Amino acid sequence: MVAQTIAAGLTPFVPDAAYQLPFNVAEIFTLLRMPVIVLAIVATVLGVIGYLRPGQPRLAAATAAALGIAALLPMLAGGVGGVLVNSLF
């Protein structure tokens, strides 16, 4: 969630960064999304592993998996949406 907040906070600076750096806007948005996607995948995988371990408390593991999925879905939807929009125009 912290990584999502940081990525969202840096979003208004993307057009200026694209103007000053040798990257286009889509590449910069991808760079902002990557740490969030990696952390969300790690949280989801570790949450599922923790949930499947026998004899261990499952509430924290289920919470980690749910938060990982909740962080991952918007990032993937934004990436796929950007690709679709770029392919149409």
Side-chain angles (χ1 to χ4, degrees), residues 44-64:
T44 303
V45 169
L46 291 178
V48 169
I49 290 171
Y51 188 80
L52 295 176
R53 290 183 64 193
Q56 298 295 322
R58 295 186 175 191
L59 182 61
T63 303

Side-chain angles (χ1 to χ4, degrees), residues 1-83:
M1 298 308 243
V2 173
Q4 275 183 311
T5 304
I6 292 170
L10 292 175
T11 299
F13 302 106
V14 169
D16 290 333
Y19 180 71
Q20 295 175 1
L21 297 173
F23 302 112
N24 64 23
V25 174
E27 291 170 340
I28 294 174
F29 276 125
T30 301
L31 290 174
L32 285 176
R33 267 192 222 116
M34 289 311 291
V36 177
I37 291 172
V38 170
L39 290 173
I41 290 172
V42 168
T44 303
V45 169
L46 291 178
V48 169
I49 290 171
Y51 188 80
L52 295 176
R53 290 183 64 193
Q56 298 295 322
R58 295 186 175 191
L59 182 61
T63 303
L67 286 174
I69 291 169
L72 186 62
L73 289 179
M75 292 294 124
L76 293 179
V80 171
V83 169

